[in-house]
């Protein structure tokens, strides 16, 4: 795991620092504050540069990930066009695969464990605008953390909202909207997503045994 030790808030004004601290702490903050917007633009420049790299530019892709994210594990691959809000509130574990057109609004921390697989067009939306119109038009937002534990697979077009934890090894069916915590080791689908069944030994297909036998015979 490579941890980004650069203090992203070091160049904020005192007023901007207050809004940033409120943002990551889950308090109502001014999303339209110019200092918050400046940090958003910094992230945009990095993920745009990442998305323009060729697949064989592995070192360059890795360098941008280490600069953009709070921390990133080994063997992480992110397809274009990846987009995020701040970048610096995202932690990605090892052996993660993030497919095309993923969006992470990381105004609060978003944490992905090891071996997390994310299908195309998935959205992780940690932040939410105020329900009150006057507050909303003046930039009021509140963000809550998202935690995706080890071995989770998010199907295509899944949306995960702020404040949600998805337990180890669970699978979220395509098109689902996850509004509440999902326990470990289950399949959940729907809008809002609901647990439909546990993942059991009966779900094994014998694939690992077949590959092991093939490799042993070589």
């Amino acid at each position: 795991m490579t941890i980004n030790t650069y203090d992203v808030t070091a160049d904020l004004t005192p007023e901007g620092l207050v809004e940033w601290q409120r943002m990551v702490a889950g308090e109502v903050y001014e999303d339209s504050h110019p200092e918050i917007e400046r940090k958003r633009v910094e992230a945009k420049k990095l993920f745009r540069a990442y998305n323009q790299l060729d697949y064989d530019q592995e070192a360059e892709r890795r360098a941008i990930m280490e600069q953009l994210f709070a921390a990133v594990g080994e063997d992480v691959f992110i397809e274009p066009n990846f987009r995020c809000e701040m970048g610096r509130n995202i932690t990605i574990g090892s052996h993660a695969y993030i497919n095309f057109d993923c969006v992470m609004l990381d105004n609060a921390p978003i944490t992905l464990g090891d071996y997390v697989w994310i299908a195309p067009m998935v959205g992780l939306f940690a932040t939410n605008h105020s329900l009150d119109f006057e507050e909303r038009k003046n930039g009021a937002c509140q963000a809550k953390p998202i935690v995706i534990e080890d071995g989770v697979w998010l199907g295509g077009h899944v949306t995960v909202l702020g404040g949600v934890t998805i337990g180890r090894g669970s699978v979220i069916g395509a098109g689902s909207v996850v509004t509440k915590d999902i326990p470990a080791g289950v399949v959940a689908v729907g809008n809002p997503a609901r647990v439909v069944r546990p993942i059991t030994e009966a779900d094994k297909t014998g694939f690992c045994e077949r590959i092991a036998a093939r490799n042993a015979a070589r």
Side-chain angles (χ1 to χ4, degrees):
M1 176 75 72
T2 301
I3 299 173
N4 190 341
T5 59
Y6 170 72
D7 183 2
V8 73
T9 67
D11 61 348
L12 292 177
T13 65
E15 183 181 278
L17 181 60
V18 167
E19 296 306 320
W20 180 278
Q21 291 173 336
R22 291 182 65 88
M23 177 182 74
V24 297
E27 301 173 10
V28 177
Y29 69 98
E30 184 184 358
D31 188 65
S32 55
H33 191 280
E35 294 289 277
I36 298 296
E37 179 59 26
R38 180 162 61 84
K39 291 301 173 183
R40 188 178 286 117
V41 170
E42 290 177 8
K44 287 179 180 178
K45 290 179 179 179
L46 287 171
F47 72 66
R48 284 177 179 173
Y50 180 93
N51 290 331
Q52 292 171 0
L53 292 172
D54 288 332
Y55 285 95
D56 60 355
Q57 294 180 278
E58 295 180 8
E60 292 87 345
R61 293 165 73 92
R62 178 70 190 190
I64 292 178
M65 283 193 283
E66 292 181 0
Q67 186 178 357
L68 178 60
F69 301 133
V72 59
E74 301 305 314
D75 185 31
V76 172
F77 195 87
I78 304 174
E79 301 279 6
N81 286 305
F82 174 80
R83 288 155 288 177
C84 62
E85 190 85 10
M86 302 295 170
R88 286 304 305 279
N89 296 321
I90 297 171
T91 296
I92 302 176
S94 295
H95 313 294
Y97 177 70
I98 299 172
N99 216 320
F100 299 106
D101 296 314
C102 180
V103 178
M104 298 188 189
L105 302 187
D106 60 300
N107 302 81
I110 294 177
T111 304
L112 277 59
D114 296 338
Y115 290 98
V116 169
W117 291 358
I118 295 180
M121 299 182 181
V122 166
L124 308 181
F125 303 149
T127 195
N128 196 18
H129 295 282
S130 176
L131 294 178
D132 180 81
F133 170 58
E134 291 300 322
E135 290 188 349
R136 185 166 65 249
K137 77 176 184 179
N138 283 287
C141 282
Q142 188 172 18
K144 299 294 183 181
I146 293 173
V147 177
I148 312 296
E149 295 184 352
D150 294 351
V152 168
W153 174 24
L154 304 180
H157 292 267
V158 163
T159 298
V160 181
L161 301 186
V164 164
T165 294
I166 300 177
R168 187 179 189 275
S170 285
V171 175
I172 310 299
S176 299
V177 179
V178 188
T179 62
K180 295 181 180 180
D181 290 354
I182 301 295
V186 300
V187 176
V189 298
N191 182 4
R194 294 182 173 86
V195 175
V196 294
R197 67 177 181 86
I199 299 171
T200 70
E201 289 294 313
D203 291 302
K204 292 183 180 295
T205 65
F207 173 81
C208 291
E209 292 78 6
R210 179 176 66 82
I211 297 302
R214 183 193 68 187
N215 292 342
R218 287 178 174 172

